[in-house]
Amino acid sequence: MIDHIVREIARLKFVNDLSCCKNVSAFLPELGDRLPREMLRYVSVLLPLLANESYQLRNGLVQMIGSIVVRCFHPSILQQQQQQLAKRKQRRQSRRDEDDDDEEDRERDDAEEDEDEADDEEEKTDKTKDREQLLEILKQRFYDVSGYTRKKTIQTWIHICEERAIPIKHFLEVAKLAVGRLEDKSSKVRESAIELLSALLRFNPFLHELPLTDFNYKLKEAEQRLTTAEQTLQSFLSFQSIITPSPVSSKPAPKGKKGKKSAKTIDENEDGEEKAEIENPWKDLNEAQLSAEEEKLKQEVSKALKTFQYFRDSVNFIETIHSSTPTLCTLLGSSNLSDIEGSIGFFVAAQNFKLECAEEGVRKMLLLVWSKDAQIKKLVSQAYSSLYLDPEVIAQTIDSLDAGNELDDEAGGIRPNQKQNKELRNKKIALIQATNLIRLTQSASSAELASIEELVTEFTKSQTLSTDAISSLWRIFGRRYNDSVRQQSLGALIILSMAANADPSIIRSQFQLLVSKGLGARWKKEEAFAQYTCLALQKMITFSNVPSKKPDDAEGGSKIRVLAPIRERYPTDHALIQRLSLVIVGHSHSLDKWFPAAEQAINAIYCLSESPDQVCSKLVKLLATRLFDPSSKSSKDALSPMVDDDDEEDDEEKNEAAEKEEDPKAKSDQSCSVSTITRFVFVVGHVALRQLQYLEEIQAELERRRHQQQSSKSNSSSKKNANESIEDELGIGATVDEADEHIQHVIEKEVVSKNLLGAFSPMIIQICKNSEKKFNNHTLRATAIISLCKFMCVSSEFCEAHLQLLFTLLKHSESWIRSDIIISLGDLCSRHPNSLEPWTPHLYNQLRDSDPSVRRNTLRVLSHLILNEMIKVKGQISEIARCIDDADSNISGLARLFFQQLDHKNSGNKSNNSIFSFLPDIISNLSSPDAQISADSFRNVMRHLFAYVKQERHVESLIDKICARLRTTSELEQITNFAFCLNLLSLSDKSFKKLKEKFDTYKDKLVDDTVFDFFIQIVGKAKKNC
């Protein structure tokens, strides 16, 4: 019956019979699963179905073949069959030994048994051949024309892999095919390919850990052992060829004259090296022993060869997995959720298998924590939690580890492999959690640290990061400082400052330890300790938010941070404030490391001090004295009472500092150095910016009190009239308004114009201009320009007065200065949009800068300003559009992302900022000769932008506008570009009629062959669509 059914299926044509195809595609896998041995005989009959147009039939046949491979050729089944053949052979041998028949019968039985053995071997060979053919058929289906069949093929291979039915020699090839499908145009195929790679990792026939470095080392060792074994065997065979044993060599060779004569003859015929080879343990062996030795050496060579092949296959497989990393990292940025989810799962699996390539993917996953998709954020959070914080995984690691000195010290000396009570085991788990997070911060970039901070904050909120882990971090931070624990201690501090975002009590509970260690002697060797200590101290203070006067369309009103309560602030003479001041004015080994430390110290002073303006005023005066009057003793006396440091780690530092202060020659040589000027300029600029924020916080506090009063009035309506009359008499409402106006006046007229800070603005301007070429130090000039921009952020009047200077610097300065100015201009546009509005074209011009870093920063700034509606979008958006085809892939990616976000932001509304409304101007601007853009680049840009034109009315409107421009232009290049854009539109019947109605506008342009070809293509596409 099976024969009749299968042959009937093979004869069917399946022409336009979808239901029949669907039924057969479901029937074939069932047959393969239930009757695999029977269906194996009919595979050749059904193979022509792979050429059928129906992908469903091909899917069914692929699944059937996969079931046959698993059911008929599983290693366990083949092993059982081999065991049965061995038992059958053993029984034959037993019968042969026990048989007492005559010689003729015995010969006949031997012939029959030999024939049976030959049949068994032939059957074994045929099965191996059948399996190889079936696997080759499945490999070929990786290249099927249908994405559905490619997906089904990969899923079939996943099933075979999970059943451990893939032979080792096919493992590498299947992995390479899966890597190739990662770039498939079908997202479903890519998703299945990632699943197959993960399955190949989980069920690999090698080891549970696959570090490439270790396997390369083992491969070299195996190669050396193989070479040694082969050389030894070759030497033995050479020895055998030289010494041919005599018939009596079954006995040990006598020591008489014959033996001496033979040895003498050999010594005369061979040189010294061959003599050394001959004089070895083999020369005293008899023939039987020589045969046994030869067999032993051959077995050693065979064993060494198998070991070498094993590690060679392992290395090739690991390298294949490594080759998938770039593509998978790219898929992490895909717009398809399945690509992202699959890539995250793969990198988690790869990290568990200790693959070095996983580190790159795990790092890139960090950026996904900022995704707007809640599901993606959840996937990233779960991935990092499983990698670094999962207690069950860590418990398994503890059980598999030997006792470690560090773990023993922290866990009370109990070794991991001994019985432990629950408390000590939790303590060890917490220590490993803390160490894992610290390792994550090492060598991390600033962007990665920001992403880690978001993750740690989430872990703290959800209590995934336990209190025991926090305690372990504090213990690691509190260890006695030396070079061996420096990175560990700093990493613990960074994680603690991140966790304080969600729980400020983490810092409050260990305030004394944080200040004594972080602001003690450690920061003098490593300024990063001061930076992150100041950052952590700022998290200790809680702030409240109030609605600003400026409404926000997205959230119904923006929020402004108000001052912390006075009870949470410290007086100016407090030891903490003095330590923070010392970070700013104290000695530093590196300016690059001092800048972030001093910035956070100033931020901490404004956050924690009762009178931050007074503290910073003293610091500015002290630095000014050092700069303009270095011989004065006031600078030394000002710092002497600052800190009474009782930390035992400070002794050595104090002695070094004392030696430096006692050397007047060294001090005089360093007076008024570039470093001193740079530090002074930086502090003045940042204090100005923080003073602005401080005054705005006071304004917000007044606003909060006003809202509170209004709220209390509405709750007590019975006393409303009385309160209003009292306030009118006392002038309370007027007083609040006057205070607000006074603060605004101070910001605009005094902070950077008249007072202490304003006195140094001419010096900063002079350094920026560098008209006399006295200030050529790069760091000094960059710091001065940034400080100038901070001054401009404070006051709109100061900003307008110096915009000309800033844009002059932007035009004529070095590339690294231009990059800094571009970033600052973004802040100025947010702060003073009306003042910067006339200068916007100059900002767009930087998108044509020769330096990629300048173009990249400009594109980021403009994207932020446009997407947040801080500047109006005008015709200059064509400059952003041309970046789509920029030579720098990062710039091209940013430009594409900008238009994607712009389209998403305006989807579903009739905003004038939709991409459709900008397209006509973009086409005209990029088509003009002044655009200086090649034809290929123009077409690449248009292909990307026209993909956002989807609505029928937009297509018709573009036809009207492009045809109107075709009528008025006479430039052949512009005409060709307009015709190309028309060809990109997806025309319906209605829009094609609109194009025909506009024939008069372009009929005279059809004389050009290129333009004519574009219109022919338009007609051809219209015939298919209409």
Side-chain angles (χ1 to χ4, degrees), residues 579-592:
R579 285 178 182 260
L580 292 173
S581 301
L582 188 61
V583 173
I584 300 169
V585 299
H587 176 73
S588 177
H589 300 283
S590 170
L591 269 180
D592 292 336

Side-chain angles (χ1 to χ4, degrees), residues 1006-1022:
L1006 298 177
V1007 294
D1008 182 75
D1009 291 339
T1010 305
V1011 176
F1012 183 77
D1013 289 340
F1014 281 135
F1015 277 93
I1016 291 295
Q1017 294 176 23
I1018 293 172
V1019 173
K1021 289 192 297 183

Side-chain angles (χ1 to χ4, degrees), residues 620-797:
V620 171
K621 291 177 181 178
L622 175 60
L623 292 173
T625 303
R626 285 186 180 180
L627 180 61
F628 298 109
D629 189 12
S631 60
S632 174
K633 295 183 179 181
S634 59
S635 60
K636 183 191 297 186
D637 296 339
L639 283 178
S640 58
M642 272 193 173
V643 179
D644 182 16
D645 218 338
D646 57 354
D647 193 343
E648 68 276 11
E649 297 175 354
D650 284 353
D651 295 338
E652 184 179 349
E653 288 293 328
K654 287 180 179 179
N655 294 334
E656 293 179 1
E659 291 175 2
K660 290 179 181 179
E661 288 182 359
E662 289 174 0
D663 188 358
K665 183 178 180 181
K667 184 173 181 179
S668 62
D669 291 341
Q670 296 175 357
S671 62
C672 201
S673 65
V674 172
S675 175
T676 305
I677 302 175
T678 304
R679 293 176 65 178
F680 174 74
V681 171
F682 175 83
V683 170
V684 169
H686 196 62
V687 167
L689 185 63
R690 286 300 307 184
Q691 186 66 21
L692 167 66
Q693 295 174 345
Y694 178 64
L695 293 173
E696 287 182 339
E697 288 172 0
I698 294 176
Q699 282 184 308
E701 173 64 16
L702 293 174
E703 187 69 20
R704 184 189 67 82
R705 294 181 181 181
R706 179 182 300 171
H707 280 289
Q708 189 175 9
Q709 289 177 359
Q710 292 176 353
S711 176
S712 62
K713 288 178 184 179
S714 62
N715 293 334
S716 56
S717 57
S718 61
K719 300 181 179 180
K720 180 177 180 181
N721 296 331
N723 287 339
E724 287 181 351
S725 61
I726 293 173
E727 288 179 2
D728 291 339
E729 291 178 6
L730 297 177
I732 294 177
T735 302
V736 173
D737 292 336
E738 289 175 1
D740 193 19
E741 292 177 1
H742 176 69
I743 292 174
Q744 195 62 37
H745 174 79
V746 170
I747 292 173
E748 284 291 330
K749 304 290 186 180
E750 298 184 10
V751 174
V752 295
S753 300
K754 296 181 180 179
N755 292 333
L756 176 65
L757 299 177
F760 301 109
S761 60
M763 182 186 76
I764 295 174
I765 294 170
Q766 190 65 29
I767 296 173
C768 293
K769 289 181 177 179
N770 194 24
S771 56
E772 298 180 2
K773 305 298 181 183
K774 292 182 179 180
F775 307 103
N776 297 320
N777 183 270
H778 291 178
T779 306
L780 173 58
R781 289 196 63 210
T783 305
I785 290 172
I786 293 175
S787 294
L788 174 64
C789 293
K790 289 178 179 178
F791 271 46
M792 295 170 69
C793 277
V794 175
S795 170
S796 60
E797 290 186 3

